[in-house]
Amino acid sequence: MNRDLDRAALHAAMDDSRQRLLAIYAGLAPELWQAVPYLKIINPPRWEAGHVAWFNERWCLRRIDDERFRPSRFLADADRWFNSGAVEHSTRWTLDLPGQQAILDYMATTLAACHEALEREDADLYYFRLSLYHEDMHCEAFHYTLQTLDQPLPAGLPAGPPPVEDAGELEFPGGAVEIGSRPDNVFVFDNEKWAHEEILAPFAIDARPVSNGKFLAFVEDGGYDEPRWWSEAGRRWLAESGRGAPRAWRRAAGGWQRKAFGAWLPLAAEEPVVHVTAFEAEAWCKWAGRRLPAEAEWEVAARRFGPDFSPWGHVWQWTATPFAPYAGFAPDAYADYSRLWFHTHRAVRGGSFATPARLLEPAFRNFYEPQRDDIFIGFRSARSL
């Protein structure tokens, strides 16, 4: 697995993740470090940066056991400010947070201390991997923040998914398949536990995510104005949002455009569609005579037909499956990673151009509420055989 990093690889990856995070932050206007408008879909940048450092310190340096932690060595009020399990999202805008330089100093100090602790013989590498992947996820969340706030992305970072060539369908004959992660994997997330058998009927699934060009055909066919393509929940979302095309699309004099990090760009027909809700993905599928794949279908296809996983990780992809625990689920040390979101979110698979490659695995389960479209999410379609 990509995630099974040894001690030397962890040192390198920790530095890589931090460099990536700071590079993304370089795209944020200085005044937005101090104050950003309240939105449910982002965090205040100062809070999120401090939270990343707090998480690393808590699990790699302060842990006594999974429920007891020593006080912070570097920031007296760190728990009061940055404990996401105790600090409600809406209150993060009104906290008496340290200034930008103090946050950056806290990040640098905790990272150096984590490197030092990682060299100890008794270092439990599980917690260093957990902290690394947590920071990787926040790196991607910072991409979302820049996109949401119309801030430019620093040079050298990808601003969208690469073009994908239409490769038709992949067919699966059905039968017993293994889904989930095995106990002998060095690191897994708790919602992947454990590998189990499922029986699938024969199906076909797109070899590549649905493109802008294919989705545009739905838009121009009046798909947003035709209730029969939309579920009941989708029709409610459509009425509330007033959308007539995906988020960040517009029809201009020279043709359709897509907004990426504050800049309007020509809509590239061959790129995967992004910033669509599960409702829009379902409506396109119904219009096209197809459906979203079940979570298990997506995973078995990625395992069997994706030895090069990259085409499966250009954009996050909606599935038809509610996010729920596998049988026998038990939370890991970071107990709130999954359990708070079961049965209210939709299972999402793959990864995006902003996801560090070391996170990408066929068994990786992400999860979002179906109305989310600020993330780099699209879909691939399927059909029963």
Side-chain angles (χ1 to χ4, degrees):
M1 294 180 71
N2 291 334
R3 306 191 204 125
D4 298 349
L5 303 181
D6 61 17
R7 198 181 302 260
L10 274 168
H11 278 298
M14 287 160 56
D15 285 337
D16 173 73
S17 191
R18 181 56 53 84
Q19 290 164 8
R20 184 189 302 246
L21 186 151
L22 294 176
I24 299 167
Y25 254 134
L28 193 67
E31 62 271 17
L32 294 179
W33 261 96
Q34 303 305 318
V36 295
Y38 171 74
L39 293 170
K40 291 182 179 180
I41 55 177
I42 64 171
N43 281 302
R46 271 192 301 159
W47 183 90
E48 192 158 8
H51 166 73
V52 167
W54 170 86
F55 192 97
N56 294 347
E57 184 192 16
R58 190 175 199 242
W59 290 104
C60 298
L61 306 175
R62 296 173 49 193
R63 178 180 172 274
I64 299 172
D65 55 39
D66 289 350
E67 295 181 355
R68 295 182 299 157
F69 301 87
R70 300 177 185 88
S72 172
R73 291 166 47 194
F74 307 115
L75 203 59
D77 284 322
D79 289 337
R80 180 172 69 84
W81 286 323
F82 301 123
N83 184 348
S84 56
V87 181
E88 290 291 333
H89 183 266
S90 60
T91 67
R92 297 170 190 173
W93 272 258
T94 58
L95 292 169
D96 56 332
L97 295 174
Q100 177 181 354
Q101 190 56 53
I103 295 288
L104 293 172
D105 290 345
Y106 180 48
M107 295 172 73
T109 302
T110 53
L111 178 61
C114 285
H115 276 301
E116 182 180 349
L118 182 55
E119 282 301 304
R120 294 201 303 261
E121 289 188 8
D122 63 345
D124 189 332
L125 300 193
Y126 169 84
Y127 295 98
F128 290 85
R129 295 184 183 108
L130 174 68
S131 297
L132 166 67
Y133 303 135
H134 172 266
E135 184 159 342
D136 280 343
M137 292 177 188
H138 277 281
C139 283
E140 183 162 1
F142 287 136
H143 275 82
Y144 302 155
T145 298
L146 292 186
Q147 171 75 340
T148 299
L149 298 177
D150 290 333
Q151 294 294 297
L153 194 66
L157 295 173
V164 292
E165 183 179 343
D166 188 356
E169 289 185 318
L170 305 169
E171 293 189 356
F172 178 69
V177 298
E178 182 178 277
I179 302 299
S181 291
R182 294 181 175 181
D184 57 356
N185 290 336
V186 173
F187 183 92
V188 301
F189 292 103
D190 59 11
N191 60 48
E192 301 166 8
K193 297 181 177 179
W194 286 114
H196 59 280
E197 183 179 280
E198 293 196 21
I199 307 297
L200 298 181
F203 70 94
I205 187 170
D206 292 334
R208 297 290 187 268
V210 171
S211 67
N212 284 328
K214 288 187 174 181
F215 200 89
L216 179 59
F218 169 70
V219 175
E220 294 190 325
D221 193 43
Y224 280 76
D225 300 319
E226 180 52 72
R228 62 181 166 144
W229 305 134
W230 298 80
S231 66
E232 182 179 348
R235 288 193 291 271
R236 288 198 300 270
W237 172 83
L238 203 57
E240 292 168 2
S241 68
R243 291 278 171 77
R247 179 190 184 102
W249 280 29
R250 74 177 183 185
R251 191 195 300 268
W256 283 89
Q257 297 178 329
R258 179 178 74 88
K259 196 176 189 181
F261 300 100
W264 285 102
L265 307 172
L267 186 70
E270 68 278 9
E271 290 180 0
V273 65
V274 292
H275 300 307
V276 291
T277 64
F279 307 129
E280 290 166 291
E282 290 167 337
W284 183 94
C285 287
K286 191 169 184 181
W287 169 82
R290 298 177 67 81
R291 60 175 174 80
L292 288 179
E295 186 179 17
E297 290 175 329
W298 193 100
E299 183 173 331
V300 72
R303 289 187 186 279
R304 297 200 175 199
F305 302 112
D308 172 11
F309 190 73
S310 60
W312 296 81
H314 290 323
V315 293
W316 290 107
Q317 293 153 53
W318 292 111
T319 75
T321 307
F323 181 57
Y326 292 153
F329 168 83
D332 280 344
Y334 178 29
D336 290 346
Y337 175 66
S338 300
R339 64 178 181 179
L340 301 180
W341 320 114
F342 288 139
H343 308 297
T344 59
H345 288 49
R346 185 76 67 89
V348 170
R349 291 305 194 104
S352 84
F353 63 90
T355 310
R358 55 181 160 259
L359 274 172
L360 301 181
E361 293 287 346
F364 188 24
R365 305 178 77 199
N366 208 341
F367 42 94
Y368 290 106
E369 292 178 301
Q371 75 275 10
R372 287 287 297 270
D373 59 7
D374 57 301
I375 50 185
F376 305 124
I377 192 163
F379 64 101
R380 64 183 72 210
S381 68
R383 63 185 176 92
S384 300
L385 295 178

